[in-house]
Structures are given as structure tokens and as C-alpha cells.
Amino acid sequence: MKTSIKTCIMLLFIVTLFSCSSDDDASTTIPEGYFFKTKIDGNSFSATIPEFGASKTGNTITIACVQGIHKFQLKINNSIGVGTYTIPTTTANTIVLSYENDVVVYQSGICGTSGTLTITAISSNEIAGTFTFSAGNTDDCGLPQKNITQGSFKALLAGS
């Protein structure tokens, strides 16, 4: 009987020990509600944290996404706010939207390409928006362009 009680107490202790979690372990928590999605020449593409993120360094905001062979970068120089920006820009704002498929880099604003970036929300710790652009091959404008459509994102904004 004493052995059964000791066994039950030991099992209860072990179950309690392993079923508790620490609130200090925030580094493994992946926030929900953040996303990056678009269509590449009509084919759907999407990613969630940790495959993408956004950072701010000085006046530059970079939203980057890497998933397999697909790499996106939305880079915005100079301060911007909520609004729609045309690419190529005609103001002091420099906006570069690019896509890479592991071999070829495509970029907006070259080879006669254009696009739009709409910032729908921006704060000190989040940025959200939509985008669409055609992108030219950075090595040869004679090669076919990529059409990036129905793009949208909501990201944590790291940095200062």
C-alpha cells in the first residue's frame, strides 16, 4: 500500500512538472495574424512567421520573405505613411519591390515595369498593406517579366 501511494505521488509530481510551462519562454511563441501572400504569374504563394518579417533601420523599412526558392523583398526608403505609392516613384520616396526564384532576380521599376504599394496601416511595431507589380529580369530586359498580383501583408515591425 505504501508503495502504491509513493508511486501515485511520484506520478502526480512528474505529470505536474511536465505539464507546466514558463511564461518566460516567449521566444518560441509565434504570433498569429501576421501573413504575406501574393500570386506569382497567377500561382498562389503565402508565408507566415518565421518565413517572413519586417524591419526598420533609420528611414528604411524592409519586408522580406524567404520560402524555399521564392524570395521577396519590399524595400521602402524615406518615411512613408498610410497611402498608395506608384512604382517607379516620382517623389523622394524610393520603393523597390523584388522577387527572386533561386536563379533569376526580378525587380519593379526597370525594363518598363511598374506597380503599386499601398500601406494600409503603420505603427511603431506593425505594418500592413497591399502590392502589385510587374518585374523585369535584372540581367536581361528582353526576357519575360514576372507579374506579382493580389499581394498583401501584415507584419511585426522590428527595429527602431
Side-chain angles (χ1 to χ4, degrees):
M1 181 84 156
K2 287 185 180 182
T3 304
S4 295
I5 292 175
K6 285 182 183 179
T7 303
C8 286
I9 291 173
M10 186 59 99
L11 284 172
L12 182 61
F13 174 75
I14 291 171
V15 168
T16 304
L17 179 67
F18 288 106
S19 65
C20 294
S21 65
S22 170
D23 289 340
D24 295 337
D25 195 17
S27 63
T28 59
T29 303
I30 297 174
E32 293 183 20
Y34 297 101
F35 60 89
F36 184 98
K37 60 185 175 181
T38 190
K39 288 190 175 185
I40 307 163
D41 288 333
N43 298 308
S44 294
F45 173 86
S46 65
T48 57
I49 293 174
E51 296 165 329
F52 88 102
S55 64
K56 182 175 182 181
T57 305
N59 284 337
T60 301
I61 296 173
T62 303
I63 301 160
C65 177
V66 177
Q67 184 184 67
I69 66 167
H70 301 286
K71 298 174 182 105
F72 283 91
Q73 186 177 57
L74 311 168
K75 191 169 186 177
I76 307 152
N77 293 321
N78 291 327
S79 297
I80 64 166
V82 171
T84 298
Y85 302 89
T86 303
I87 303 157
T89 59
T90 56
T91 65
N93 293 318
T94 303
I95 300 171
V96 177
L97 308 180
S98 63
Y99 166 70
E100 182 179 345
N101 68 2
D102 201 37
V103 177
V104 179
V105 177
Y106 299 89
Q107 185 175 309
S108 65
I110 64 168
C111 306
T113 62
S114 62
T116 59
L117 171 67
T118 300
I119 303 299
T120 57
I122 188 168
S123 69
S124 61
N125 62 349
E126 281 186 345
I127 186 167
T130 62
F131 59 93
T132 185
F133 64 98
S134 58
N137 184 313
T138 57
D139 291 329
D140 185 350
C141 286
L143 294 175
Q145 298 177 354
K146 288 287 182 185
N147 291 305
I148 310 299
T149 58
Q150 298 177 17
S152 61
F153 61 90
K154 181 177 179 186
L156 287 171
L157 188 55
S160 57

